[in-house]
Structures are given as structure tokens and as C-alpha cells.
Amino acid sequence: MTLTFTVTSQAPSGTGAVGVPVATKGALPPGTGLDRAALERLGFTGKVGETYVLPSARGPVTILVGTGDPAQVSPSSLRRSAAALGRAASGFESLATGLAAVPRVDRKAAAQAVVEGLSLATHRWTELKTQNAKPPKLATVALVSPVPSATKQGVARGEVTALAANRARDFANMPPAHLPARVFADRAVAIAKESGLEVEVYNKDQLKAMGCGGIVGVNRGSVEPPRVVRLSYVPRGATAATPHLALVGKGVMYDSGGISLKPSDGSHAMMKADMSGAAAVLATMGALRGLRCRTKVTAWLMCTDNLPSGSALALGDVLTMRNGKTVEIHNTDAEGRLILADGLSLAVEAKPDAIVDIATLTGAMLRALGDGMAGVIGNNQGVVDQLLAASGRTDEKLWQLPLERDYRQALDSFVADMKNVGGEAGAITAALFLDEFVGSVPWAHIDIAGPMWSYIDNGWLQKGATGYGTRLLIEAAMTFAKPAKGARAARK
Ligand code: BES
Ligand code: MN
Ligand code: ZN
């Protein structure tokens, strides 16, 4: 359920629960009737993530919510506190809290973070559950604030960003048969219409005619046709000088590996979410008009599944990509880079100031960084730095790896311009492959293979598809500035 937020000067009467922020130090809020020693005996010290429910016979229940060290409180810590509060309050229909008005944090940023934390932690995808769905009851939240105008601005922004991230999660949680590329493209058209975007959908015949050999090749094993969706957001009053960002999302609706079939394990079972990059890009695009983004943004969703069959792509096959380069297939499970190659080539043709692609690209990145952060690799330090800064603000962690060109020879092929796999550093060689399709356009690649999925409820992350990268891309688009062209990415 989408939460409804109001901003008030005091808790509305009849609220089911009141969330009271408590730091690890300093005076306790009045009215709890407890001192620190008593709270500590109850296991509550005020750390971020802790909550404690004080039952009451009459009137609203009080939920203490930890905000941590008062000197360290930030939008990111408040987002986590709010997520914990949302879980603790999930049995109540209404909640009031002063969490967005704690000292030392900009009111607008605080309100946005609290809205995000509450909305992300209480979101569930229950469309296919006929019993025991038990979604949180929480429906309305009153943010108690002495500065309502700043708080309201933050709420408005948080509502848009949280809706986007939850929408990305829903798409990624949908099973392959419920969301083939055709249907996803239809949903993209609907979102474009309601969000003031231009949209164009390319079908298989068009993609063949366009020379998009990568996505057509990956699609060969499937009875479901591919789709490429181009979405375009043009801010009001845009001129030729308006910064222009291009986004490319990997939309593998289901990745079986193809002829290089994956084993039937847990990680294969989550390959319905191999379109998480495209879902994050689509959700981002849907948010820009509502946020009055000043950047022009053009996006490509590269959608197909990857299946084995009598007509499937074979090892040794050679594909010709949109930019004319040829690729010899050595592993059909390295399919993401093949579809991104066409997407990046199309993006380059639009002459943007920078390109960012986002993809569940390599198990190697998951193994290198774990599931708590995404990796970023680029050809331009300015673009990478903008993403790292955005990631700090959204608390979607990102770590830079080098585009080590000495490893490029691992992709050399006897028969074509390159192979689609090779070498040891799998996350880096995948990026080196993509680098062949961006020319000299400033570019960064975000590999979300790790954080796209969560096996547990954890802070604002909810079990299942996480929508990771959606808020990061929105933040990056909102704050985008043209990077200097020659700024080669650092090697570390
Ligand atoms: N979609 C996978 C990567 C992936 C793995 C995402 C685990 C999320 C979790 C990708 O298409 C893939 O299969 N990559 C291969 C590449 C290899 C064949 C070079 C991989 O990582 O094993
Ligand atoms: Mn694969
Ligand atoms: Zn894949």
C-alpha cells in the first residue's frame, strides 16, 4: 500500500502509534516515564535500527525509535531509523512522528529520508499471494514538524522517489511469464504517458533493420520477441545548452544462461530480476517530471529474455552490433553486455553529455563487493564522481573499480573483433567490453548484480528485489552537470 503523508504541528488525535525519536545520548523525551538505565534493561539504547514499543491501555502506543549518536545523525541515518519505525508500526493503521524534525539535519532532506525509509520498509509485492499475505496495516503517517513548509517539500520529493523505487521492485519481483518484454514495454508506454515523456518502442523487425545484432542475437532462443524502449524527458524551457544525460538499462526479463545453461539453484531462481537495471531506469524516468528535473534525460530499456532452444545463440556464433563491431560468443550467459552494446551504441548516436548504464551484469561484481553495494566503472572520473556523490546522498552504496585497459587483450578473438568473455577480473572485463561501444562519450557503468536482491528485510531494504539504483539515478539526474570530456577515470 502507498502511504499517505501529512505534515502537522502536533500528533493528530486518534493516531494508532506515536514514533518518538531517542538518541544514544542526551535527555530523554518527556512523558515516557522511563530513564536510560530502565530503557537499557529493556534492550533499547537509542542506536539506529532499534525500536521499543511501550504498550498503553488507552490512547496511542508509543514507539521509541533510535536515532543514534546525535552528532552523527544524517538523512541516511534517519532513513534507516524511519525504516525501523515503519516495521515496528506495521500493525497500526496510523502513525505520527517527530522523526523528520530532529535537530542538526536539514528539514527538507530529513523529511525526504523519513518518507523514503517508511515507504520502502513497508512496501510488499503481494499480487500473487492468495493467502497469508499479511501486508503492513500502516496507511497514514503524520510528520510532526515546527517548520511545515520545508517538511512538506521534503515529503513531496520523498513520495516521488519512494514510489519510483517501489515500482522498480514490483517490476523485478514479477515472474518472467507475467512480465515478458512486450508487457514491460507496454507498461513503459503507460508510465511515459502519465509522466510527460516521449516514448518509442522498437520491435524485433525494427531492431533487425537497425542492425541491433546483440539484442536480436540474445533473443534468438526465445518465443517472446525483444523490445527496446526509448524514453525521453525534456525539461520545460530546455535549450541546446541544457545538460543531457543518457541512461541505458539491462532488461533481461529472465536469464536462464541460454545454451550455457545456469544450474537450477537459488541464484538462477532470482534471474527474473535480471531486468532490475531497466526497471530502475524506467522508474527513474517516471519520476523526473514530478521532481521538475532540470536535466534532459534520454533512456533506453533493452528488453529480452535469454533462453536455450533449437534456434538459440550458439557458442562460436558471431554477432554484428549496432556500431558495426563483431563479437564472437564464447558463453551465452554473458548476454547482458551483448544487449547493452546495442543500447550504448544507440545512446552515443543521441550525442549526450554523458551515458550511465545500470545492469545486473556479473556474478564477479557480487563476489568482489558482496550484496551491500554496487560497483561503478567508467571512462571519465567526472561522471563516476557524480554517481559516487549521489550514492552518498541516497545511501545506495557504490564502489569504484578500475577500467584497466591492460586487461582488454583477454577479450581478443581469432575470428571477430572481440569475444564476449575472457580473463580473470570478470566485472572489469565486462566493463571493458562495454567500453568498446561508448566511443569517447563520458560514461560510467553501474553493476548491481549484488544489491539488486535481498534475502532478508534489512533497514529500508525489503526481502526480494530491492529497486537498488533507482533513487541513485534520480539523484544523479537531478544534480547532473556536464563532465569535462578529457577527465580519464582514476585507476584506483
Ligand atoms: N545476470 C547475470 C549476472 C548475475 C549473477 C546477476 C548473479 C545477479 C546475480 C549475467 O548475465 C551472467 O550470467 N553473468 C555471468 C558472466 C560470465 C558467463 C562471464 C556470470 O557472472 O557468471
Ligand atoms: Mn547471464
Ligand atoms: Zn544476465
Side-chain angles (χ1 to χ4, degrees):
M1 188 189 314
T2 309
L3 299 180
T4 303
F5 290 91
T6 56
V7 179
T8 57
S9 56
Q10 63 187 71
S13 63
T15 191
V18 177
V20 177
V22 179
T24 49
K25 288 185 209 140
L28 287 176
T32 59
L34 294 162
D35 58 20
R36 282 212 180 265
L39 282 179
E40 272 175 39
R41 280 195 297 279
L42 298 170
F44 180 86
T45 61
K47 286 199 192 113
V48 174
E50 286 180 1
T51 54
Y52 195 83
V53 182
L54 298 172
S56 79
R58 218 173 314 118
V61 148
T62 297
I63 303 175
L64 305 181
V65 50
T67 54
D69 181 343
Q72 304 277 317
V73 64
S74 67
S76 291
S77 76
L78 284 177
R79 193 181 292 102
R80 291 175 189 221
S81 297
L85 176 59
R87 291 185 201 289
S90 65
F92 300 91
E93 274 171 32
S94 57
L95 169 71
T97 181
L99 190 58
V102 297
R104 288 180 223 250
V105 190
D106 171 71
R107 291 270 189 264
K108 186 177 168 195
Q112 180 183 348
V114 167
V115 168
E116 289 173 348
L118 287 164
S119 303
L120 294 170
T122 54
H123 180 73
R124 303 286 182 279
W125 190 69
T126 55
E127 224 168 88
L128 299 179
K129 264 181 114 51
T130 66
Q131 50 196 12
N132 297 325
K134 296 191 195 119
K137 292 196 189 123
L138 195 60
T140 59
V141 180
L143 295 186
V144 182
S145 164
V147 195
S149 67
T151 304
K152 277 182 190 157
Q153 285 175 28
V155 167
R157 194 158 169 166
E159 285 177 326
V160 174
T161 55
L163 175 93
N166 282 333
R167 184 181 245 175
R169 292 172 170 186
D170 289 354
F171 281 132
N173 278 322
M174 283 181 205
H178 287 73
L179 192 70
R182 263 178 315 109
V183 176
F184 188 55
D186 290 346
R187 297 291 303 270
V189 170
I191 288 173
K193 295 253 155 75
E194 66 187 43
S195 333
L197 307 173
E198 271 171 45
V199 59
E200 193 162 0
V201 179
Y202 302 94
N203 66 24
K204 185 164 159 179
D205 288 340
Q206 291 167 310
L207 292 169
K208 277 186 184 164
M210 287 157 70
C212 290
I215 189 163
V216 171
V218 170
N219 182 256
R220 257 174 44 190
S222 178
V223 291
E224 276 291 343
R227 288 287 186 268
V228 169
V229 183
R230 186 180 59 79
L231 296 156
S232 152
Y233 167 79
V234 183
R236 282 185 224 302
T239 67
T242 301
H244 182 195
L245 174 65
L247 301 176
V248 180
K250 170 176 172 180
V252 172
M253 311 313 291
Y254 166 54
D255 181 11
S256 73
I259 292 298
S260 311
L261 191 62
K262 289 179 184 293
S264 298
D265 57 14
S267 87
H268 184 165
M270 74 180 182
M271 281 303 139
K272 63 179 184 181
D274 207 21
M275 33 60 73
S276 292
V281 170
L282 173 56
T284 295
M285 295 304 289
L288 299 177
R289 186 72 64 194
L291 297 174
R292 295 193 190 84
C293 179
R294 302 303 311 150
T295 309
K296 179 178 170 186
V297 188
T298 314
W300 283 265
L301 315 179
M302 307 301 296
C303 308
T304 175
D305 35 33
N306 181 26
L307 287 166
S309 82
S311 60
L313 191 60
L315 306 200
D317 270 341
V318 174
L319 302 177
T320 303
M321 315 311 246
R322 167 76 185 181
N323 76 348
K325 291 193 182 180
T326 56
V327 177
E328 185 187 9
I329 305 304
H330 277 236
N331 190 323
T332 64
D333 199 10
E335 85 296 342
R337 62 198 73 184
L338 302 173
I339 70 171
L340 289 175
D342 288 335
L344 293 168
S345 305
L346 291 168
V348 166
E349 292 168 32
K351 300 193 168 53
D353 297 309
I355 303 175
V356 174
D357 77 74
I358 180 162
T360 47
L361 204 64
T362 66
M365 191 67 93
L366 165 64
R367 285 187 289 279
L369 299 179
D371 64 6
M373 65 190 83
V376 59
I377 302 177
N379 67 1
N380 179 293
Q381 197 56 34
V383 184
V384 172
D385 285 343
Q386 289 188 43
L387 293 174
L388 292 171
S391 130
R393 291 190 291 271
T394 64
D395 199 25
E396 293 167 296
K397 290 186 194 163
L398 196 57
W399 191 260
Q400 184 178 4
L401 276 72
L403 186 68
E404 179 51 68
R405 289 206 165 84
D406 283 355
Y407 296 167
R408 168 59 184 82
Q409 58 182 348
L411 298 175
D412 286 349
S413 159
F414 286 141
V415 297
D417 296 336
M418 68 196 103
K419 301 188 290 190
N420 74 327
V421 291
E424 294 295 336
I428 295 172
T429 52
L432 285 165
F433 182 93
L434 301 179
D435 179 47
E436 296 283 334
F437 301 90
V438 295
S440 61
V441 179
W443 155 76
H445 153 67
I446 303 176
D447 189 338
I448 53 168
M452 66 94 143
W453 194 263
S454 182
Y455 288 97
I456 51 164
D457 297 344
N458 174 17
W460 48 265
L461 287 179
Q462 187 56 36
K463 196 168 175 167
T466 60
Y468 207 94
T470 306
R471 290 182 303 106
L472 193 159
L473 288 180
I474 294 174
E475 183 68 22
M478 295 294 290
T479 54
F480 178 69
K482 288 183 193 187
K485 262 217 157 180
R488 273 195 69 160
R491 284 180 57 152
K492 63 173 177 53

